[in-house]
Amino acid sequence: MTQNKISNPVPVPAAATGARAIIAGYATEANGHFAALAADQTALQAGGDAVSSATRVLSEKQEALTKLEAGAEDIDIRAQQTSVDAAQAAANAARNEVAKMSLLAPFDGTISRVNISVGEMAAPAAPAVSMVSNSNYEIDAFGFRGRHRQSCGR
């Protein structure tokens, strides 16, 4: 088979060249519209997924509300009781910590001397404070001439 070569190509009119440019512009514009359509379809699908998810959550919440309106189930009561018990244990632990940090005297009195500073750890068997009783007390004294007892009041 032989090929025919065109030695003198036919000149393309200027109008055809302009038409090609216009068609290329339309093609570019159409491609932009197709891309926008694809993006809109993706957004529509995502919106549909969000509606499905919201509908599912709504159904779950309505079911939970119906159960609540019907009355609490035993497992919910036990869960709440466990929560209350944990809070009670935490309160008791806090009270115990406060008790460890407190000094209680076996009698009513007035503190006469403080032997410890704020934040300092108390040493075992070392007096942290000295107190004077607010109640009447007796002093027994043994002297050379016998025993003397005197009652002192406030």
Side-chain angles (χ1 to χ4, degrees), residues 62-74:
Q62 285 176 331
E63 184 178 335
L65 177 60
T66 302
K67 284 182 179 179
L68 265 171
E69 289 173 343
E73 292 184 11
D74 188 45

Side-chain angles (χ1 to χ4, degrees), residues 49-138:
D49 292 345
V51 168
S52 296
S53 176
T55 302
R56 186 180 65 253
V57 169
L58 175 60
S59 175
E60 291 169 359
K61 297 296 182 184
Q62 285 176 331
E63 184 178 335
L65 177 60
T66 302
K67 284 182 179 179
L68 265 171
E69 289 173 343
E73 292 184 11
D74 188 45
I75 193 166
D76 295 329
I77 293 170
R78 286 193 307 236
Q80 188 63 34
Q81 186 61 49
T82 300
S83 176
V84 168
D85 292 345
Q88 184 64 49
N92 289 342
R95 283 188 202 98
N96 289 339
E97 287 301 312
V98 169
K100 288 180 188 176
M101 296 176 205
S102 301
L103 293 174
L104 296 176
F107 55 87
D108 289 337
T110 302
I111 295 175
S112 61
R113 185 175 18 178
V114 177
N115 301 324
I116 192 168
S117 299
V118 174
E120 185 179 349
M121 295 291 290
V129 295
S130 297
M131 290 185 63
V132 176
S133 174
N134 288 343
S135 63
N136 291 335
Y137 53 93
E138 291 183 355

Side-chain angles (χ1 to χ4, degrees), residues 138-152:
E138 291 183 355
I139 300 174
D140 286 334
F142 295 98
F144 295 115
R145 297 189 181 148
R147 181 173 177 218
H148 297 278
R149 174 177 256 172
Q150 183 176 358
S151 180
C152 300

Side-chain angles (χ1 to χ4, degrees), residues 18-34:
R20 281 186 190 163
I22 292 172
I23 291 172
Y26 287 145
T28 301
E29 186 178 345
N31 286 337
H33 290 305
F34 285 131

